[in-house]
Amino acid sequence: MRKILLLCILFSFLFSCSQNIELGKNKIDLKKFPLKIDVHYFYKEQIETHKKSLELYSQGKIDEAYSNELLKNYKSVESIDTLHIKDNEYLLLYEMQGMQTKDTLATFGNIKFEQLNMISNNENEFQSLRAVSFSYKDDKNNFKELIKALETEYGSPEIIKANESEIYKWSNKDFIVLITLVIQKENDIDSYYNSNYFLIKRSESNKLKTHFPKISGYWNIDWNLVL
């Protein structure tokens, strides 16, 4: 009986740990990303570090050595936006980006992502995420490698035409994965290739399809085509 109790405690501890991953502690493996996490907890330390650093800088009480230690695992807080749905229901959009161009927040196989945005409901439950992998003048090679990695993991995608671009989609009973490529020019030449990886909780997809368009310019995707 005691052994069974100890095993239950151990499994509860492991389950709790798996649900409470944090940004900045380790690089996030998108292959193993749990759909049941507390999103506020995931970003909590980054938000607190941001507030603390702003307070210390405003008071002139921070030196370089302390600053480096404080910000060692810190990722830039871009914004936390609220989308009100009705009286007591809303979505929270967390926008986070590495402080440096090569600051990796998440990976999928060999593909590195430098930006990691997430949406939760008002109970801090995960709804969806977008990870962005930046590349420069690589002629879509990074995006092609991401497609290969996803095909290896999930099989052949559904390809959805969207204006002049394509959306690649994988789905099962638990989640929907989408990837898109956004190309930006430099001196009228295609130079910046941003690979967007979306992970969406399947059980929330119909609700999100209704609410996503309410966010102006939200992630630049036509959700009616893909959800």
Side-chain angles (χ1 to χ4, degrees), residues 46-198:
Q46 304 299 324
I47 296 166
E48 290 176 349
T49 302
H50 176 68
K51 290 179 180 177
K52 187 174 182 180
S53 64
L54 289 180
E55 289 172 2
L56 292 173
Y57 276 119
S58 67
Q59 298 166 8
K61 295 181 179 179
I62 191 164
D63 59 33
E64 185 176 354
Y66 183 77
S67 176
N68 290 338
E69 180 62 27
L70 176 67
L71 303 178
K72 184 168 58 177
N73 293 315
Y74 173 62
K75 314 304 174 188
S76 176
V77 180
E78 293 188 345
S79 65
I80 303 173
D81 295 329
T82 303
L83 171 64
H84 289 279
I85 298 170
K86 51 189 178 183
D87 289 345
N88 296 312
E89 188 176 353
Y90 54 86
L91 296 177
L92 288 172
L93 171 61
Y94 292 78
E95 304 251 16
M96 305 291 291
Q97 184 166 327
M99 295 186 72
Q100 301 178 22
T101 304
K102 295 182 179 180
D103 194 356
T104 301
L105 305 188
T107 62
F108 194 105
N110 294 323
I111 307 301
K112 299 176 180 179
F113 296 86
E114 296 81 23
Q115 186 169 344
L116 189 58
N117 305 332
M118 206 172 293
I119 285 182
S120 76
N121 62 15
N122 50 300
E123 295 179 349
N124 300 318
E125 297 171 333
F126 173 81
Q127 307 289 289
S128 68
L129 68 77
R130 179 185 70 161
V132 185
S133 180
F134 301 106
S135 58
Y136 181 66
K137 292 186 176 180
D138 78 334
D139 194 28
K140 302 183 183 179
N141 289 328
N142 187 58
F143 184 66
K144 292 173 183 175
E145 287 301 315
L146 177 58
I147 292 173
K148 288 181 182 178
L150 284 160
E151 286 179 331
T152 299
E153 192 71 18
Y154 303 126
S156 298
E158 175 187 355
I159 301 176
I160 302 166
K161 300 290 184 179
N163 298 323
E164 297 179 359
S165 62
E166 295 178 335
I167 301 171
Y168 293 74
K169 177 180 178 179
W170 292 261
S171 62
N172 62 22
K173 63 182 180 61
D174 298 316
F175 63 79
I176 297 170
V177 168
L178 309 168
I179 62 169
T180 65
L181 180 65
V182 176
I183 303 174
Q184 296 176 327
K185 294 182 180 293
E186 182 179 65
N187 298 323
D188 295 324
I189 299 173
D190 290 348
S191 300
Y192 297 93
Y193 297 85
N194 303 333
S195 301
N196 296 287
Y197 171 97
F198 301 90

